[in-house]
């Protein structure tokens, strides 16, 4: 008998059953029936059917004869090493029955944590020597995952060390890959334990040494690729399921390229844990050493490209390793190791052609993102220069150009890009390559060069010289509709059509530029018809364009001209999640009179708005409750805030801000002079103003005495401020008269009378507030 804590199950060696092998292979065992509902992977039609999933083009897996075979060679593949085949043994029925009983035990609730660990460890000992067939069995692989999650670190490491020689085959299997992933996730938890660190490191080193013998097959396999990326993340010390190193969303990449989000180089924003940096470097360098002959495969294969991208991102900032890896990925000769001479002229044409392949195009994007500055400049000079328009015209290559432009390091590079692509803006738009233009606009704005020329070229591309400039913004908002129109001169605003995503992003980038560069765009957006402005405000992309314009340093006069067109619709816009941001921007950009108009419209929908998810935030931000109860106090606060902002920007703002300080509030996030400090200072000003005039309306309704307490706090704070002013005057008198005693006596004589006068004023103010407040309570 084999003991499992308080449970005792017959050993599989002494138990027989009546299930035939055919029934077991077909999944007819009733003990597995209820587990099918909990499976995370799609059930196979039969035990042997899963082999068919591996017989796809370009994938490794099991052959029809029951052997594990590597991937089919590509047409240009030239490898000298013979491929190894591993005979896959079937799971015997007795072993299958044993793991069925184990599954029933560990799934129950009657087993405590300590007993569960013992059961899992004993079961893994029974699997020793048979890990390959068990891990690749669709049903038993689920049980193995549960065992690997519940066992202790010793049994976990022994299991992996025992199956290390078969780990690549397990990783390339549909079911086995999940077992491998589960084992790595369990190891990541134990890696944080100092006592287990050495054992885990030895186990991972054993697995890595096996993989590097023939890494190409694993990297090019759809399942093996994911396992290797998880293994790399584990060695780096980042979460195994981090999307940054598996599949980055295109929206995230686009946001970084257009300066809407800071770059995430070197895993910034990704939580780091205890890692194995030396093992990571060993694993990566040995993989490239062994796969050097097959680099042509890795460049264009989909799944290997994902592995290579993950490697580059994990090594971002490690210039020494990147100098070794990137030239290999570009197909450069090893002997060209001298800096500035990695890329030979005869290799350039091949690299340009490779960028027209989907997999290599994605890989080149990451290369340009992480490349050291000197290496980036060499790639820029030798590969892209004089080929920018050719590569930009290709449906895959243009993404490499976007990455090149977005990661430009200096003004010289942007100038060179502008010389090639600036005159081609219209051609790029007609070919649907607006992303290249958006990236160039963002780079010129980030590096403060050629921004005005880019804005002018874009305007000329959508609005010929013989047409009025008012059509610029509408045509860019509906860029696809405009470009598809045969008679572009008679194009009109389409009704009920979603606005172009890249077009709206381009306009948002444009409105970040200095006001002198964007006058045609300002004129165009302020000349839009009222119903068009409203339709744009209701569209997610159009609303962000309006917000970008209202946050720009355009004059207050132009901003109010646009805000007036939304009069009568602020309540309607506020009910929409995206529209609420537009309402808030309108409120910030306009004068006090228009603000009161917005407040009256919001009051009409306050009840419905407060029930939405975003409504309470908007009501609180605009202080709608205060306006409803004490409009005069609300006006005073708005005037004080405006004065404070203007004084602050007059002192600390940029020259552009100071020149327009009398026109509007300027959003500090759009200026280059200490943006973080400005934002923090603006928040501090808001907090100070709020604390001076703070009255909790909802609190007053429930507790009338709270009004007196709030007013008393206000008086006390004012009194403290008066005392502070007197002390400041006192210090001045010390300097003027040079007599400490005389200054102190004067301050003592003056302080009581001023303080009493101030207190009396605040008390009368408090009494004055209590009258309308009492009336409100009676109602």
């Amino acid at each position: 008998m084999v003991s499992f804590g308080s449970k005792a199950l017959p050993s599989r060696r002494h138990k027989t059953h009546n299930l035939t092998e055919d029934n077991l292979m077909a999944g007819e065992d009733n003990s597995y029936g209820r587990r099918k509902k909990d499976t995370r992977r799609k059930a196979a039609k039969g035990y042997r059917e899963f082999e068919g999933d591996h017989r796809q083009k370009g994938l490794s897996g099991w052959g029809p004869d029951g052997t594990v075979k590597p991937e089919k060679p590509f047409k240009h593949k030239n490898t000298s090493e013979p491929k190894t085949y591993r005979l896959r043994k079937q799971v015997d029925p007795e072993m299958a029955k044993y793991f069925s009983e184990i599954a029933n035990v560990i799934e129950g609730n009657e087993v405590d944590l300590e007993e569960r660990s013992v059961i899992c460890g004993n079961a893994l000992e029974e699997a020793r020597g048979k890990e390959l067939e068990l891990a690749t069995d669709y049903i038993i692989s689920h049980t193995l995952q549960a065992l690997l999650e519940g066992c202790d670190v010793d049994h976990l490491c022994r299991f992996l060390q025992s199956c290390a020689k078969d780990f690549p085959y397990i990783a390339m299997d549909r079911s086995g890959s999940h077992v491998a992933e589960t084992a790595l996730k369990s190891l990541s938890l134990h890696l944080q334990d100092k006592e287990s660190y050495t054992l885990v490191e030895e186990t991972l080193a054993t697995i890595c040494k096996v993989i590097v013998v023939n890494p190409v097959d694993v990297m090019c396999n759809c399942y093996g690729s994911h396992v290797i990326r998880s293994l790399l993340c584990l060695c780096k010390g980042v979460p195994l399921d981090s999307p940054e190193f598996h599949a980055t969303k295109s929206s995230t990449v686009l946001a970084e390229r257009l300066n809407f989000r800071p770059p995430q180089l070197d895993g910034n924003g990704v939580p780091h844990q205890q890692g194995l940096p030396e093992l990571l470097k060993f694993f990566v360098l040995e993989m490239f050493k062994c796969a050097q002959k097959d680099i042509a495969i890795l460049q264009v294969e989909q799944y290997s490209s994902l592995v290579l991208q993950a490697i580059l991102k994990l090594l971002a900032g490690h210039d020494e390793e990147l100098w070794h890896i990137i030239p290999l990925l570009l197909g450069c000769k090893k002997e060209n190791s001298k800096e500035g001479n990695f890329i030979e002229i005869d290799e350039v044409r091949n690299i340009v052609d490779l960028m027209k392949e989907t997999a290599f195009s994605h890989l080149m994007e990451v290369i340009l993102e992480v490349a050291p500055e000197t290496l980036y400049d060499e790639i820029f000079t030798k590969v892209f220069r004089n080929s920018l328009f050719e590569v930009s015209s290709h449906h895959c290559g243009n993404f490499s150009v976007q990455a090149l432009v977005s990661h430009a390091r200096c003004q010289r590079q942007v100038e060179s890009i502008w010389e090639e692509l600036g005159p081609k803006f219209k051609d790029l738009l007609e070919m649907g390559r607006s992303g290249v233009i958006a990236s160039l606009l963002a780079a010129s704005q980030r590096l403060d060069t050629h921004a005005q020329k880019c804005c002018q070229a874009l305007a000329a591309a959508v609005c010929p010289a013989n047409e009025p400039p008012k059509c610029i913004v509408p045509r860019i908002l509906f860029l696809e509709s405009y470009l598809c129109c045969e008679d572009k001169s008679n194009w009109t605003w389409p009704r009920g059509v979603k606005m172009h995503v890249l077009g709206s992003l381009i306009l948002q980038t444009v409105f970040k530029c200095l006001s002198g560069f964007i006058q045609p765009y300002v004129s165009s957006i302020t000349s839009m018809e009222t119903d068009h402005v409203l339709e744009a405000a209701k569209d997610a992309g159009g609303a962000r364009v309006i917000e970008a314009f209202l946050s720009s340093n355009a004059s207050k006069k132009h901003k109010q001209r646009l805000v007036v067109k939304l009069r009568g619709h602020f309540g309607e816009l506020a009910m929409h999640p995206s529209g609420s941001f537009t309402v808030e921007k309108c409120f910030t950009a306009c004068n006090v009179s228009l603000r009161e108009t917005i407040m009256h419209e919001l009051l009409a929908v306050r009840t419905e708005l407060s029930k939405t998810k975003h409504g309470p935030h908007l009501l609180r931000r605009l202080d709608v409750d205060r306006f409803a109860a004490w409009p005069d106090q609300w006006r005073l606060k708005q005037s004080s805030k405006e004065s404070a902002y203007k004084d602050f920007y007059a002192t600390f703002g940029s020259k552009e801000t100071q020149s327009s300080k009398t026109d509007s509030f300027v959003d500090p996030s759009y200026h280059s002079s200490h943006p973080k400090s400005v934002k923090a200072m603006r928040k501090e000003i808001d907090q100070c103003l709020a604390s001076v005039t703070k009255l909790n309306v909802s609190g007053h309704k429930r507790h009338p005495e709270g009004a007196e307490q709030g007013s008393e706090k206000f008086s006390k704070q004012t009194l403290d401020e008066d005392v502070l002013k007197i002390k400041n005057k006192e210090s001045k008198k010390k300097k003027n008269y040079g007599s400490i005693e005389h200054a102190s006596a004067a301050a003592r004589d003056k302080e009581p009378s001023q303080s009493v006068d101030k207190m009396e004023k605040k008390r009368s103010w408090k009494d004055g507030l209590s009258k309308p407040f009492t009336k409100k309570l009676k109602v």
Side-chain angles (χ1 to χ4, degrees):
M1 302 286 285
V2 180
S3 176
F4 302 96
S6 60
K7 296 281 182 181
L9 290 177
S11 170
R12 65 168 184 84
R13 297 183 178 88
H14 300 91
K15 184 154 183 151
T16 58
H17 47 79
N18 296 324
L19 288 175
T20 64
E21 183 175 353
D22 293 337
N23 289 339
L24 184 62
M25 298 305 176
E28 295 179 6
D29 186 356
N30 294 331
S31 62
Y32 293 127
R34 63 182 181 85
R35 288 181 50 74
K36 293 181 180 178
K37 298 179 180 179
D38 300 327
T39 56
R40 286 173 287 174
R41 304 184 288 274
K42 186 178 179 181
K45 294 181 179 180
Y47 182 86
R48 302 178 187 274
E49 286 297 322
F50 80 94
E51 298 172 359
D53 291 346
H54 299 278
R55 294 195 292 270
Q56 300 175 20
K57 185 178 180 180
L59 301 182
S60 304
W62 298 98
D65 56 350
T67 59
V68 179
K69 65 177 184 179
E71 180 185 355
K72 278 188 177 182
F74 289 86
K75 60 182 180 180
H76 55 284
K77 187 170 182 177
N78 182 21
T79 57
S80 57
E81 296 182 5
K83 298 302 176 183
T84 58
Y85 291 82
R86 183 64 56 90
L87 182 63
R88 181 190 185 279
K89 297 180 181 179
Q90 304 291 348
V91 180
D92 66 86
E94 187 178 354
M95 177 71 77
K97 187 64 175 179
Y98 171 78
F99 276 95
S100 171
E101 294 176 352
I102 292 294
N104 293 333
V105 172
I106 62 177
E107 284 186 351
N109 298 326
E110 61 274 7
V111 181
D112 58 29
L113 186 61
E114 184 176 355
E115 291 177 338
R116 179 185 177 88
S117 178
V118 174
I119 294 173
C120 292
N122 291 340
L124 289 177
E125 289 293 332
E126 293 289 340
R128 180 169 296 186
K130 300 177 176 60
E131 295 89 355
L132 177 60
E133 51 264 36
L134 294 175
T136 54
D137 181 274
Y138 176 75
I139 301 298
I140 300 178
S141 64
H142 290 82
T143 306
L144 270 185
Q145 288 181 250
L147 297 176
L148 293 171
E149 291 172 343
C151 68
D152 56 37
V153 64
D154 293 325
H155 286 95
L156 174 63
C157 291
R158 278 202 294 268
F159 175 85
L160 287 173
Q161 289 172 355
S162 176
C163 69
K165 63 182 182 302
D166 296 323
F167 191 85
Y169 301 103
I170 294 175
M172 290 188 291
D173 183 77
R174 184 187 66 175
S175 299
S177 61
H178 289 273
V179 175
E181 292 266 3
T182 302
L184 294 177
K185 288 181 181 179
S186 298
L187 275 183
S188 67
L189 300 177
H190 294 295
L191 188 59
Q192 311 312 312
D193 185 3
K194 294 182 179 180
E195 297 179 356
S196 306
Y197 184 87
T198 303
L199 178 60
V200 173
E201 183 179 19
E202 293 175 354
T203 303
L204 290 175
T206 303
I207 294 174
C208 291
K209 290 176 182 178
V210 174
I211 293 177
V212 297
V213 173
N214 186 19
V216 177
D217 289 325
V218 186
M219 295 171 69
C220 295
N221 179 271
C222 61
Y223 307 114
S225 170
H226 202 283
V227 173
I228 285 190
R229 280 175 273 157
S230 297
L231 180 56
L232 290 166
C233 290
L234 176 57
C235 294
K236 178 67 175 180
V238 298
L240 272 64
D241 54 353
S242 173
E244 184 72 19
F245 308 106
H246 283 285
T248 305
K249 293 182 178 179
S250 57
S251 58
T252 303
V253 176
L254 189 61
E256 293 179 6
R257 290 179 179 173
L258 301 184
N259 303 332
F260 293 117
R261 170 178 169 171
Q264 301 294 308
L265 288 178
D266 197 18
N268 292 336
V270 179
H272 280 68
Q273 302 172 346
Q274 181 71 33
L276 300 164
E278 294 303 321
L279 180 59
L280 174 65
K281 294 180 182 179
F282 164 80
F283 186 36
V284 170
L285 295 179
E286 286 298 315
M287 275 200 302
F288 277 97
K289 181 180 178 180
C290 298
Q292 189 169 356
K293 295 181 180 179
D294 299 320
I295 199 67
I297 301 172
L298 303 180
Q299 287 176 328
V300 297
E301 213 284 325
Q302 175 185 356
Y303 300 111
S304 62
S305 176
L306 294 174
V307 175
L308 298 176
Q309 293 172 48
I311 290 173
L312 292 173
K313 291 177 182 179
L314 290 169
L315 292 179
H318 299 272
D319 290 357
E320 183 179 353
E321 287 75 20
L322 292 174
W323 270 107
H324 176 77
I325 293 173
I326 292 178
L328 291 177
L329 294 179
L330 296 177
C332 301
K333 298 177 182 178
K334 188 176 181 180
E335 52 268 20
N336 298 332
S337 57
K338 186 179 179 180
E339 290 188 14
N341 193 32
F342 269 104
I343 305 173
E344 294 289 345
I345 299 301
D346 56 351
E347 298 169 345
V348 171
R349 187 69 252 174
N350 181 52
I351 297 175
V352 172
D353 292 338
L354 281 172
M355 283 189 287
K356 299 176 183 179
E357 297 284 342
T358 303
F360 189 83
S361 175
H362 288 299
L363 180 60
M364 179 59 84
E365 293 180 51
V366 182
I367 289 175
L368 295 168
E369 180 181 1
V370 304
E373 186 172 348
T374 308
L375 184 54
Y376 173 93
D377 190 65
E378 183 178 354
I379 296 173
F380 174 85
T381 304
K382 293 185 177 181
V383 178
F384 284 94
R385 181 174 289 177
N386 300 324
S387 300
L388 281 171
F389 183 70
E390 175 192 348
V391 181
S392 299
S393 303
H394 194 268
H395 67 278
C396 290
N398 79 92
F399 293 102
S400 298
V401 176
Q402 292 182 41
L404 176 83
V405 177
S406 300
H407 298 99
R409 314 298 169 90
C410 61
Q411 294 182 348
R412 173 184 58 82
Q413 293 167 349
V414 174
E415 181 179 0
S416 179
I417 295 170
W418 162 256
E419 290 175 356
E420 288 193 53
L421 298 182
K424 304 289 187 179
F425 270 25
K426 185 175 182 180
D427 297 329
L428 290 172
L429 287 177
E430 291 176 349
M431 288 187 292
R433 309 293 177 250
S434 54
V436 177
I437 297 176
S439 299
L440 183 53
L441 274 168
S444 64
Q445 191 261 342
R446 173 172 56 87
L447 294 174
D448 194 21
T449 179
H450 288 75
Q452 184 175 13
K453 291 183 178 180
C454 287
C455 292
Q456 291 173 349
L458 176 62
V462 297
C463 179
N466 59 347
E467 296 185 25
K470 68 177 184 179
C471 64
I472 295 176
V473 171
R475 289 180 177 179
I476 297 178
L477 282 175
F478 295 97
L479 190 59
E480 186 175 0
S481 172
Y482 169 71
L483 294 174
C484 293
C485 181
E486 295 182 359
D487 187 7
K488 292 182 173 55
S489 59
N490 293 324
W491 178 87
T492 57
W493 181 286
R495 297 287 182 179
V497 178
K498 186 178 180 180
M499 295 181 180
H500 195 254
V501 174
L502 265 176
S504 64
L505 290 173
I506 288 174
L507 288 174
Q508 292 174 57
T509 305
V510 166
F511 285 122
K512 286 185 178 182
C513 299
L514 299 178
S515 58
F517 300 168
I518 58 174
Q519 285 305 315
Y521 299 88
V522 174
S523 175
S524 176
I525 196 171
T526 55
S527 301
M528 288 170 57
E529 298 179 11
T530 301
D531 56 337
H532 294 170
V533 175
L534 179 60
E535 186 176 346
K538 292 180 179 180
D539 184 272
R544 290 184 178 271
V545 172
I546 293 176
E547 294 164 25
F549 168 70
L550 295 176
S551 300
S552 69
N553 49 29
S555 67
K556 187 174 182 178
K557 176 182 176 182
H558 288 108
K559 293 180 182 179
Q560 289 184 356
R561 186 181 301 173
L562 182 69
V563 173
V564 167
K565 296 183 179 182
L566 293 174
R567 182 183 294 170
H569 301 282
F570 291 112
E572 178 185 357
L573 288 176
M575 295 299 295
H576 297 279
S578 59
S580 64
F581 293 99
T582 307
V583 172
E584 186 176 342
K585 289 292 184 180
C586 290
F587 180 88
T588 305
C590 61
N591 55 25
V592 177
S593 175
L594 273 175
R595 290 182 183 181
E596 290 191 29
T597 301
I598 295 175
M599 300 303 286
H600 283 296
E601 294 189 28
L602 293 182
L603 280 177
V605 296
R606 179 170 58 168
T607 303
E608 294 80 5
L609 186 59
S610 62
K611 297 177 182 178
T612 63
K613 185 177 181 179
H614 61 277
H617 173 76
L618 179 63
L619 295 172
R620 183 171 60 256
R621 287 278 294 176
L622 304 189
D623 211 359
V624 176
D625 292 336
R626 186 191 302 275
F627 178 81
W630 301 285
D632 292 336
Q633 183 186 346
W634 179 87
R635 295 187 187 96
L636 178 63
K637 180 181 177 181
Q638 296 300 316
S639 300
S640 301
K641 186 182 293 187
E642 184 169 1
S643 299
Y645 286 157
K646 288 183 177 179
D647 292 342
F648 173 75
Y649 286 115
T651 305
F652 301 103
S654 63
K655 293 181 180 180
E656 183 72 21
T657 305
Q658 293 179 14
S659 65
S660 60
K661 66 181 180 180
T662 57
D663 291 335
S664 64
F665 295 155
V666 183
D667 190 338
S669 62
Y670 288 88
H671 295 282
S672 58
S673 58
H674 311 291
K676 293 184 178 179
S677 301
V678 172
K679 186 175 181 179
M681 183 64 74
R682 180 168 184 171
K683 185 177 180 181
E684 184 178 349
I685 292 173
D686 288 338
Q687 291 175 347
C688 293
L689 292 172
S691 63
V692 172
T693 58
K694 183 178 181 181
L695 284 174
N696 193 330
V697 178
S698 60
H700 296 332
K701 290 181 179 180
R702 297 181 182 179
H703 306 288
E705 66 272 15
E708 297 182 9
Q709 294 175 1
S711 300
E712 288 172 2
K713 290 180 181 179
F714 178 87
S715 301
K716 183 177 180 181
Q717 182 177 1
T718 308
L719 179 60
D720 293 338
E721 292 176 354
D722 294 338
V723 172
L724 182 60
K725 290 179 181 178
I726 293 172
K727 289 182 179 180
N728 292 336
K729 291 182 180 179
E730 180 182 346
S731 62
K732 291 181 181 179
K733 288 184 179 181
K734 290 180 183 179
K735 296 180 181 180
N736 294 335
Y737 300 110
S739 174
I740 298 176
E741 293 82 0
H742 176 74
S744 302
R748 284 194 299 269
D749 293 339
K750 192 174 183 180
E751 180 178 349
S753 60
Q754 287 184 344
S755 301
V756 171
D757 291 340
K758 293 289 183 182
M759 290 179 66
E760 290 298 325
K761 289 181 180 179
K762 299 306 173 186
R763 285 173 184 166
S764 62
W765 175 82
K766 177 184 68 175
D767 296 337
L769 282 182
S770 62
K771 292 179 181 179
F773 178 72
T774 306
K775 292 179 181 179
K776 186 174 181 181
L777 285 177
K778 291 179 180 179
V779 175

